Amino acid sequence: MATKWSYMDHWVTETPQGPLPPSFNRTYMDRYVKQLSALGFQGFDTFFFYLPMLQGMYGSVPAFEHFLQDNGFEKITGIFSAYPYATKHTAPHVRETHDRIVADCEYTLRGIEGLAGVENFIVMPSSTDWQTEPVTDDKIKIMADLWNRVGRITLEHGLKTTCHFEFWGAIRTRPQLELFFEHTDPEYVYFFCDTAQHTIAGVDPVQMFRDYKDRCTGFHFKDTKNVDTTGMYRTAPDPELMAPDVERWFYPMGEGGLVDFPSLMKEIVASGYDGWLTVEHDKAELGGGTYAEATCLAKWYIDNVLAEAQREAEAAL
Amino acid sequence: MSAARWSYALNQWDTNIDTFVRKREHERALKTVSISGFSAVELTAASFGAWEPLGNPRQIRDLYGSVAAFGEVLRGCALDGISSYVYDPFIGFDVEMGRGHDPLDPSSAGPIAETSEWFAGTVRELGGSVLVVRPVGSAWQTGPLDDSQIEVLANLWDAVGRRTAALGVELALHVDFLSALRLGDGLDRLLAATDADVVGLALDTAELAVAGMDPVAVYRRHASRVRHVQLKDAREVVDEAEAMTPHAEQFVRTEGGRRGIERWFFEPTDEGGLVDFEAFVSALHEHGYAGWIVVESDQSPHPAESTMVSGWYVQKRLAPLLAR
Amino acid sequence: MDHWRSNSPSGPIDQWRSRRTMTRFLRQVAAVGFDAIDTFDFRYWQILEQYGSVANYQEFVQEQGLERIVNTFHGVYYEPDRYAPEVPETHATIVEDFKVTMDRWSGIQLDNVIVMPGSRFYDDHGPTDDQLKHAADVWAKVGEVTQQYGVNLTCHHEHYAGIRNRRQIDTFYAYADPRYVKFFVDTAQHCIADVDPVDVYEAHHERVTGFHFKDTRNKDVNEDYKLFPDAEVSAVTTEKWFYEMGTAEGLVDFERMMRSVRDHGYEGWISVEHDKADKLGGDYAESTAISRWYAKNVLDGIYAGAGA
Amino acid sequence: MKDTLRWSYAINAWNLRMDVFVRHEEQQRALKTLSVLGFDHVELASGMGGRWENLGTPEIILINHGSAEGLLAFLRRAGISGVSSWCWDPGQPAEETGYAFLMTRNPADHDAIVEAAKPFVDLLAAAGGDQLVVRPAGSAWMAPPLGDGDAGIVGSLWNRVGEVAAAAGVGVSLHYDCLQPFHTEEQLVSLLDATDPALVGLALDTAELTIGGIDPVAFYDAHHGRVAHVQLKDTRFQDAGQEYLTPGAEATMLKGGAGRRIERWFYELGTEGGLVDVEAFVASLRAHGYGGWVVVEGDKGGNATEVAMLNSWFLQRRLGVEKV
């Protein structure tokens, strides 16, 4: 099996105006793509809100994809969309806001027309836990209804709606995840396995994949060094950056974190999964790191450590 | 396939005395170089004691236990080894931060040869094949070199070359943009005066370009003597008058001269600069160049990014020119 | 105290890169309210090259609104066969070195020349009693030299150096002539070596001629002080030792330190030092501002207050 | 700052991108920096809203600090005593308002803009702030050229907001930036003429005016009666003509340099080659007895702390302003 690796775009680089995303200008964006290309990434995942910027810089989003392809990429593989902060206009657990959310999703789908074939429409299925509390079964079912609805629409455009669960979201524990998947239609709603987020929430990502592999359409390979055992997931307004005890939640693979990536890799091989594998770095600059170095080390780890796990698993088949 | 091999210079990580000291920092840089598509690294000789642990064989040994153990680290990071060491004889290694020897002083020949041998042995042990040296001081210090000075230099480097050759390591003279060899036909005369079998040229594209020389033309003129290539870009030229500024190393190279140039050297890319890399590498191909090509950024606000951008350019644009 | 880095198009640089970068550095230090700077004396050659003379450099400093250069730190690598305070055979070299150094800096009036009184890389036993005595002897000789220039010779005890723990420090000063050998308290270094900076100050306050006020969050519990090449950058579990005053989880009790400084009637300079502030995402400019904020908003009030 | 002028500093310099400057301790560090540099008031700026705008939008500030008093207590912990002003761009879609895309040139959006202004006015008033500094209209390149009626339409909106603000004891000032459509002196004056001087003033930004081709000193001398707020920063460049009309000018001009590779436009006061005569401008403020806030800004200038320190140095040493 040939693995296909994509990169999830959180990159920050040094500019004359301080550290900013490479969308700073076209030159920076070109260099960013070349850097990923040099390491051998073939897929590119991005956020919905970058689409207008890409259009501005390259003339159109497909023109940006052509630039990726000129540099050895296959295509844009995933688009990430989310409503992390609930407002009166948009909140997945509030049914009255669903029409608006669906309309937004349709707008995003129009923004990626003409691309070679984005596969995943990645969503955060809920807003922050603290805004959703109390998290009832009913609210989880309401959220399931929303994504069933969205999933049907994206599938018409060839994209699978796939759910990425934050440790601070309202669907975070294993029972909540099970209830959510029970109420979503396997034909319309898929599972996206973020190794670090699940680990922080006390959910074993490898077991999660084992149990939901039939619905799994992607991964964020990232690591963490902390499990949230003190309810930091409830920190308002934002647990990801403001948790009292943890300044940095996410780390690249191979830096002594809690996730057992070789085991996951073996599980992936054994399952016959043939979709994209994605490296995500989030806040890599905290504590003095850089995105470029984190990306090199992650890809080095893939080619030198995970490749070995993959070979072992393939031999065992 | 070409016999040329691609290496990357580590010096850009070493921005100050107390940086790039920990093994962990080395390992991260080495993995970055490896995954960006290079097979070796170039080291630069430095004398700042324990704070320059890759600066000389003694410091490598002190930090890693032995040179061989450092070789294991390189291979553990998926690199083949080092390509080369860069040694400036003006730096002394007898004491930390010591002052070295002026190649124009005939009495320097012994100590310089000994130190060269010391480095060459390490190059060999770490899988490399070239010792790159600064053959002479800066233009402002010497003015144009007269025949007797050329003779002193030729005697020195011939002797050094014979000794490194005995260790299986080639000697390559490096011309920087402030070098005395930029004046008149100094470079041509020194090459003519040295033994082609044991003394070669290390051609640094950016240094030549800043000195106002066309690296492609220099290469074509001396292709048979080029034993080593360093690839980097530049955007500004330093003319002879500016190069003659007293203490030009500080006032021009470090401070940027009257123009306040904050960065002289850039990664080889197609973003525009003084060097035509594709023409240069095509010329290497024509002449069947078979040595190391070391990519340098030398100065970078962001070493990992520079390595990756260069890696892209090598993989996508330059290496294919050699593989024709 | 002169450790500083900022970003530039060619990567991280220090303030000595050019007169332009020095100007920016001095203006920032002046803006937050520092009155003077300290430097390293190994900058001498660079000063000659860039400014012509030490006096010229001090004028340059003054043009940006600072009073003067107060202290210089004498940075030398100690090697037993060449230059080491514990080795009497090298003492002549050391004394000679200071004659040269004091001549070089005689164009301005310094308060202190700061030295590390002992070598590093000691085994479990540390320096012997005799070795401490030899060190005390040589610094007294050096102190005689520096005092001819009106400058104190003062000792700064790194957590990784040979004279690091309380017993070694006390023994050293018991041997060292108080007229010529002064003490420079570095709050963080002492703390890392498990020496209470206030206690050691109080024990030796009569010969204290300066302070580095900086903080740390860690004591050395792994015998990091033995590490090659440098405990400050190679420590096993502590990637960054030094933090500015007022940092969260800081181990130094600056308020107590300041009360003690006040109560002992100290009227000399207090220096703020940042060392490797840029590690782990830190920033020299920010650390400089935050530490001055702390000095102004917390310590100045204590110093101005009545005796406790 | 101890002065007859009231000095404040714009906190947005630290809020470089959406997910930084979120933790309270980071914000405390910036506030302490400003405090020790002699500032005791800050200017806030709105952003995209949402959970990361902890000093940006009213709803999120209140989640963090409960009330205006809570916000002030947070500021006072660092030695900052208050808020001078708050910058708000109603055309910037914000999460709390469902990312509504509102245009001041569209009368149909006016009710929604007045409504959206209220939380800002209320919290600013409760925190003792003086000016709501607003962007009068969206970027020129995004809409057709100004028509005859546009100044009147936009002016009528800001008169309405001005009334709401005045009722709460807060002033409204229109901020000139180099991309908004009231670009020439004539256009700017036409907009001011369309507003009620009792309700709406001008927020004069020295660098933005300079980039837009208007001399801030001359403009202030001519129109000082309408200037209710000042933002002080320097620039080294001017719009070469019509660069502000380039599609995507926020990126293509202010980050990409409209093909001129100007990747940074804004600089600290007294920067080398700065175009703003800050001393003359401040002298003019004093001469006319200016009574509003003077906000020093360091946004889009690289390292926010270094820029703030250099700005304070300039105030102390070049403008003779003593620190608090």
Side-chain angles (χ1 to χ4, degrees):
Chain A
M1 171 184 106
T3 49
K4 299 183 293 186
W5 287 91
S6 67
Y7 189 77
M8 174 69 199
D9 177 14
H10 286 260
W11 193 280
V12 170
T13 185
E14 204 55 51
T15 78
Q17 297 185 20
L20 292 172
S23 54
F24 183 71
N25 70 39
R26 170 73 189 258
T27 305
Y28 285 73
M29 197 68 201
D30 283 1
R31 285 170 64 95
Y32 167 47
V33 168
K34 290 176 179 180
Q35 285 165 245
L36 296 177
S37 163
L39 304 188
F41 285 100
Q42 294 168 286
F44 187 84
D45 282 23
T46 193
F47 290 98
F48 75 100
F49 54 74
Y50 277 132
L51 296 173
M53 287 184 226
L54 294 171
Q55 189 189 358
M57 277 185 280
Y58 292 86
S60 69
V61 180
F64 170 68
E65 187 171 59
H66 294 151
F67 181 74
L68 285 172
Q69 288 163 340
D70 289 345
N71 286 289
F73 283 82
E74 196 177 303
K75 61 184 179 178
I76 296 177
T77 39
I79 299 291
F80 200 105
S81 181
Y83 298 93
Y85 181 72
T87 67
K88 64 181 178 193
H89 306 278
T90 52
H93 65 284
V94 180
R95 202 180 292 281
E96 293 68 34
T97 71
H98 286 187
D99 286 352
R100 163 67 191 267
I101 293 175
V102 170
D104 284 358
C105 292
E106 285 172 332
Y107 181 82
T108 300
L109 289 170
R110 283 197 294 279
I112 57 171
E113 275 169 12
L115 292 181
V118 182
E119 298 183 17
N120 282 320
F121 189 76
I122 310 162
V123 298
M124 291 184 189
S126 76
S127 299
T128 54
D129 179 278
W130 68 270
Q131 287 177 299
T132 313
E133 287 176 10
V135 181
T136 60
D137 289 2
D138 268 355
K139 283 183 187 167
I140 290 177
K141 287 174 197 166
I142 290 169
M143 292 187 263
D145 288 348
L146 168 65
W147 301 114
N148 279 332
R149 208 176 140 190
V150 170
R152 190 194 303 259
I153 294 165
T154 63
L155 209 54
E156 285 165 11
H157 291 78
L159 283 80
K160 288 178 174 165
T161 292
T162 184
C163 296
H164 176 282
F165 301 89
E166 275 59 35
F167 78 89
W168 43 264
I171 305 170
R172 44 183 304 282
T173 66
R174 186 68 205 223
Q176 288 170 336
L177 290 162
E178 285 168 11
L179 185 69
F180 177 76
F181 279 117
E182 209 177 292
H183 286 86
T184 48
D185 186 334
E187 201 181 327
Y188 298 129
V189 178
Y190 294 85
F191 168 51
F192 197 94
C193 182
D194 183 306
T195 51
Q197 297 278 10
H198 286 305
T199 302
I200 297 167
V203 171
D204 176 2
V206 181
Q207 189 61 42
M208 216 30 222
F209 172 67
R210 213 175 275 135
D211 296 341
Y212 288 95
K213 58 176 178 281
D214 294 344
R215 294 176 75 167
C216 183
T217 66
F219 299 84
H220 279 165
F221 276 69
K222 65 178 194 268
D223 212 343
T224 183
K225 297 184 179 177
N226 301 81
V227 176
D228 176 9
T229 55
T230 56
M232 283 183 278
Y233 68 89
R234 303 181 65 204
T235 311
D238 173 57
E240 205 166 280
L241 295 181
M242 296 178 69
D245 304 330
V246 179
E247 279 187 48
R248 176 179 178 179
W249 287 105
F250 304 121
Y251 290 84
M253 291 183 279
E255 305 242 310
L258 299 172
V259 178
D260 183 351
F261 291 104
S263 291
L264 178 62
M265 195 67 202
K266 288 176 185 172
E267 201 69 40
I268 288 170
V269 172
S271 75
Y273 175 86
D274 64 353
W276 290 89
L277 306 173
T278 304
V279 171
E280 184 185 44
H281 294 133
D282 198 351
K283 323 282 177 312
E285 80 285 3
L286 291 181
T290 70
Y291 276 88
E293 191 190 59
T295 309
C296 285
L297 296 186
K299 192 62 170 53
W300 189 94
Y301 185 85
I302 289 165
D303 289 4
N304 292 280
V305 180
L306 293 187
E308 184 58 35
Q310 188 185 341
R311 274 192 294 277
E312 282 174 30
E314 282 166 355
L317 283 181
Chain B
M1 274 301 281
S2 156
R5 290 197 286 162
W6 296 90
S7 170
Y8 200 90
L10 283 184
N11 55 356
Q12 61 168 6
W13 273 272
D14 196 6
T15 54
N16 214 310
I17 48 175
D18 58 358
T19 56
F20 208 54
V21 177
R22 282 176 86 99
K23 288 180 188 175
R24 197 175 72 89
E25 292 174 294
H26 299 161
E27 199 177 299
R28 293 169 81 87
L30 295 170
K31 287 179 175 175
T32 296
V33 169
S34 161
I35 198 64
S36 298
F38 299 93
S39 60
V41 290
E42 177 169 275
L43 304 181
T44 300
S47 175
F48 206 93
W51 278 353
E52 289 293 356
L54 302 181
N56 63 63
R58 182 171 61 219
Q59 298 303 338
I60 291 176
R61 188 195 62 214
D62 284 350
L63 185 64
Y64 283 98
S66 67
V67 169
F70 179 60
E72 284 303 314
V73 171
L74 290 167
R75 285 187 288 280
C77 292
L79 290 166
D80 293 340
I82 73 167
S83 56
S84 38
Y85 232 124
V86 179
Y87 160 53
D88 173 358
F90 285 93
I91 298 171
F93 295 89
D94 299 337
V95 296
E96 283 156 336
M97 294 186 283
R99 281 169 190 250
H101 303 275
D102 182 350
L104 283 171
D105 174 0
S107 71
S108 298
I112 290 177
E114 234 168 81
T115 310
S116 299
E117 214 167 27
W118 189 44
F119 280 103
T122 300
V123 169
R124 190 73 214 154
E125 190 172 354
L126 292 172
S129 57
V130 183
L131 180 68
V132 182
V133 296
R134 182 180 179 208
V136 64
S138 297
W140 71 270
Q141 296 168 305
T142 63
L145 299 171
D146 64 28
D147 288 344
S148 66
Q149 287 173 309
I150 292 284
E151 195 187 332
V152 170
L153 294 177
N155 288 340
L156 165 68
W157 296 118
D158 279 350
V160 171
R162 279 192 291 276
R163 287 171 70 165
T164 64
L167 295 166
V169 170
E170 295 188 288
L171 179 71
L173 312 182
H174 178 264
V175 184
D176 63 78
F177 75 77
L178 297 176
S179 172
L181 296 173
R182 64 174 287 161
L183 301 176
D185 52 359
L187 174 60
D188 294 358
R189 283 156 63 222
L190 179 59
L191 286 175
T194 47
D195 179 349
D197 288 340
V198 295
V199 178
L201 179 63
L203 195 155
D204 185 316
T205 52
E207 299 276 4
L208 293 181
V210 178
M213 297 188 232
D214 173 8
V216 180
V218 174
Y219 176 69
R220 289 188 189 283
R221 196 159 76 238
H222 297 294
S224 66
R225 297 296 295 274
V226 173
R227 295 284 181 276
H228 195 70
V229 166
Q230 289 173 330
L231 226 49
K232 60 183 191 247
D233 207 353
R235 294 182 184 165
E236 307 289 340
V237 172
V238 169
D239 63 20
E240 210 166 286
E242 193 175 7
M244 296 306 279
T245 309
H247 303 277
E249 296 83 0
Q250 171 65 31
F251 291 117
V252 180
R253 188 188 274 272
T254 304
E255 296 202 15
R258 285 178 188 280
R259 291 170 291 169
I261 310 285
E262 292 187 274
R263 181 176 176 188
W264 288 105
F265 301 123
F266 295 82
E267 311 83 12
T269 61
D270 50 6
E271 287 166 14
L274 296 175
V275 179
D276 183 343
F277 293 101
E278 292 171 35
F280 181 79
V281 172
S282 296
L284 292 179
H285 179 62
E286 277 168 41
H287 290 272
Y289 177 75
W292 285 102
I293 305 175
V294 180
V295 173
E296 279 194 278
S297 175
D298 202 336
Q299 301 168 329
S300 169
H302 202 319
E305 290 196 12
S306 292
T307 315
M308 295 161 84
V309 169
S310 310
W312 178 89
Y313 193 57
V314 168
Q315 293 170 44
K316 307 285 178 190
R317 297 284 183 270
L318 300 183
L321 295 175
L322 287 175
R324 284 174 295 179
Chain C
M1 175 69 200
D2 175 359
H3 301 261
W4 182 274
R5 303 272 193 285
S6 63
N7 284 328
S8 85
S10 56
I13 55 170
D14 64 34
Q15 73 273 36
W16 293 91
R17 166 63 65 110
S18 66
R19 291 165 73 104
R20 188 181 287 109
T21 56
M22 182 61 80
T23 304
R24 287 175 63 89
F25 161 73
L26 294 168
R27 288 181 178 187
Q28 291 173 66
V29 171
V32 297
F34 287 105
D35 299 308
I37 58 164
D38 292 359
T39 190
F40 284 101
D41 60 19
F42 66 70
R43 296 290 187 183
Y44 176 73
W45 297 106
Q46 207 164 359
I47 287 171
L48 283 197
E49 203 171 35
Q50 287 179 268
Y51 303 91
S53 71
V54 171
N56 283 358
Y57 173 59
Q58 179 161 281
E59 266 179 46
F60 190 84
V61 170
Q62 288 163 339
E63 280 165 19
Q64 309 309 327
L66 292 155
E67 282 178 34
R68 64 186 182 98
I69 300 164
V70 175
N71 303 312
T72 172
F73 198 105
H74 191 69
V76 178
Y77 276 98
Y78 295 159
E79 282 180 15
D81 53 349
R82 192 171 59 83
Y83 197 114
E86 302 84 357
V87 183
E89 291 72 25
T90 69
H91 285 182
T93 308
I94 295 175
V95 174
E96 194 51 39
D97 174 42
F98 275 87
K99 287 179 181 161
V100 174
T101 299
M102 296 318 292
D103 262 351
R104 286 177 182 165
W105 288 82
S106 60
I108 62 171
Q109 183 58 55
L110 294 166
D111 284 18
N112 292 299
V113 54
I114 308 168
V115 298
M116 293 169 56
S119 303
R120 61 170 88 177
F121 308 135
Y122 268 96
D123 57 19
D124 292 341
H125 310 294
T128 63
D129 201 57
D130 276 352
Q131 286 172 320
L132 290 173
K133 194 163 186 301
H134 295 319
D137 287 347
V138 75
W139 296 124
K141 286 183 201 152
V142 171
E144 265 191 272
V145 173
T146 65
Q147 285 199 1
Q148 289 164 21
Y149 295 82
V151 179
N152 287 312
L153 182 284
T154 187
C155 299
H156 179 275
H157 300 263
E158 271 71 15
H159 73 90
Y160 55 81
I163 307 175
R164 48 184 296 280
N165 64 33
R166 183 62 196 267
R167 186 189 57 76
Q168 290 161 348
I169 290 171
D170 289 347
T171 310
F172 171 75
Y173 285 113
Y175 288 131
D177 186 333
R179 290 173 299 166
Y180 301 124
V181 182
K182 306 297 180 185
F183 180 24
F184 199 92
V185 175
D186 184 308
T187 51
Q189 297 279 12
H190 290 308
C191 209
I192 294 168
D194 203 22
V195 171
D196 185 307
V198 181
D199 291 351
V200 77
Y201 166 65
E202 289 182 346
H204 299 284
H205 69 90
E206 283 172 357
R207 60 209 280 167
V208 167
T209 60
F211 295 87
H212 277 163
F213 270 27
K214 60 180 192 266
D215 210 343
T216 181
R217 295 179 183 174
N218 301 86
K219 290 189 180 185
D220 176 4
V221 292
N222 299 312
E223 300 191 327
D224 284 333
Y225 68 89
K226 293 180 187 170
L227 282 177
F228 184 86
D230 175 2
E232 284 190 5
V233 295
S234 314
V236 181
T237 52
T238 307
E239 188 145 356
K240 172 171 176 165
W241 283 110
F242 304 118
Y243 292 82
E244 73 279 347
M245 297 186 282
T247 188
E249 300 159 51
L251 298 180
V252 177
D253 185 345
F254 284 102
E255 298 184 30
R256 184 172 152 239
M257 185 83 233
M258 201 64 193
R259 282 194 297 273
S260 182
V261 167
R262 172 198 66 198
D263 294 346
H264 288 96
Y266 177 79
E267 289 185 339
W269 290 87
I270 294 177
S271 304
V272 165
E273 185 183 39
H274 301 300
D275 197 353
K276 306 179 186 68
D278 54 341
K279 281 190 180 288
L280 301 184
D283 179 74
Y284 273 93
E286 194 191 53
S287 286
T288 303
I290 298 293
S291 58
R292 190 68 189 83
W293 183 93
Y294 187 86
K296 181 179 174 186
N297 289 280
V298 181
L299 300 185
D300 285 359
I302 292 172
Y303 193 79
Chain D
M1 296 288 174
K2 279 187 226 161
D3 194 28
T4 51
L5 291 170
R6 293 190 287 164
W7 295 91
S8 171
Y9 203 93
I11 197 81
N12 63 336
W14 278 267
N15 199 11
L16 279 173
R17 17 177 240 278
M18 61 178 185
D19 59 356
V20 297
F21 205 53
V22 176
R23 286 184 78 89
H24 288 181
E25 57 264 36
E26 276 180 275
Q27 297 170 345
Q28 281 289 316
R29 291 173 75 84
L31 294 167
K32 285 179 176 177
T33 297
L34 292 176
S35 164
V36 77
L37 288 170
F39 296 95
D40 67 351
H41 277 68
V42 290
E43 177 170 276
L44 307 180
S46 70
M48 295 281 284
R51 63 202 165 122
W52 287 333
E53 290 291 356
N54 285 347
L55 286 176
T57 50
E59 181 172 327
I60 308 297
I61 290 176
L62 292 174
I63 289 170
N64 276 275
H65 302 293
S67 63
E69 201 38 57
L71 170 65
L72 290 172
F74 178 73
L75 299 177
R76 286 184 195 124
R77 262 169 59 196
I80 297 289
S81 53
V83 174
S84 60
S85 40
W86 201 336
C87 292
W88 175 54
D89 174 6
Q92 161 90 57
E95 194 158 358
E96 292 86 329
T97 46
Y99 293 116
F101 191 76
L102 302 171
M103 286 187 292
T104 60
R105 288 168 66 182
N106 178 10
D109 286 345
H110 284 192
D111 288 349
I113 293 173
V114 173
E115 209 47 46
K118 284 178 181 164
F120 285 92
V121 167
D122 290 345
L123 185 54
L124 182 60
D130 183 64
Q131 289 290 317
L132 182 67
V133 182
V134 299
R135 190 172 197 218
S139 294
W141 68 269
M142 295 175 90
L146 290 179
D148 288 343
D150 275 312
I153 291 169
V154 173
S156 71
L157 164 69
W158 295 118
N159 282 338
R160 283 181 62 189
V161 175
E163 277 174 30
V164 170
V170 168
V172 168
S173 44
L174 309 180
H175 178 257
Y176 179 96
D177 73 72
C178 65
L179 299 185
Q180 56 79 39
F182 298 94
H183 187 77
T184 64
E185 182 158 354
E186 192 187 352
Q187 288 166 331
L188 178 58
V189 171
S190 77
L191 176 62
L192 291 175
D193 287 347
T195 57
D196 179 349
L199 299 171
V200 177
L202 175 70
L204 189 158
D205 183 313
T206 51
E208 299 273 6
L209 274 185
T210 302
I211 295 172
I214 302 174
D215 174 3
V217 183
F219 187 89
Y220 179 71
D221 281 339
H223 303 282
H224 57 88
R226 293 302 305 272
V227 174
H229 194 71
V230 166
Q231 289 180 336
L232 212 54
K233 56 180 185 268
D234 207 345
T235 179
R236 294 182 185 172
F237 305 101
Q238 272 189 305
D239 188 321
Q242 302 285 304
E243 286 169 348
Y244 75 109
L245 296 174
T246 318
E250 289 80 2
T252 50
M253 176 184 167
L254 292 184
K255 293 176 178 172
R260 292 194 281 156
R261 278 211 165 182
I262 301 168
E263 293 183 334
R264 175 177 170 188
W265 289 77
F266 298 112
Y267 286 84
E268 65 276 5
L269 306 176
T271 188
E272 245 178 281
L275 300 178
V276 178
D277 187 342
V278 181
E279 279 122 318
F281 181 78
V282 171
S284 185
L285 290 179
R286 295 189 193 284
H288 290 290
Y290 174 73
W293 284 97
V294 187
V295 181
V296 183
E297 273 200 296
D299 66 326
K300 303 185 183 72
N303 183 318
T305 311
E306 290 192 12
V307 170
M309 291 162 93
L310 292 168
N311 277 329
S312 170
W313 182 89
F314 191 88
L315 260 60
Q316 294 176 56
R317 302 279 161 188
R318 291 288 178 267
L319 298 179
V321 179
E322 254 189 85
K323 287 205 294 190
V324 179

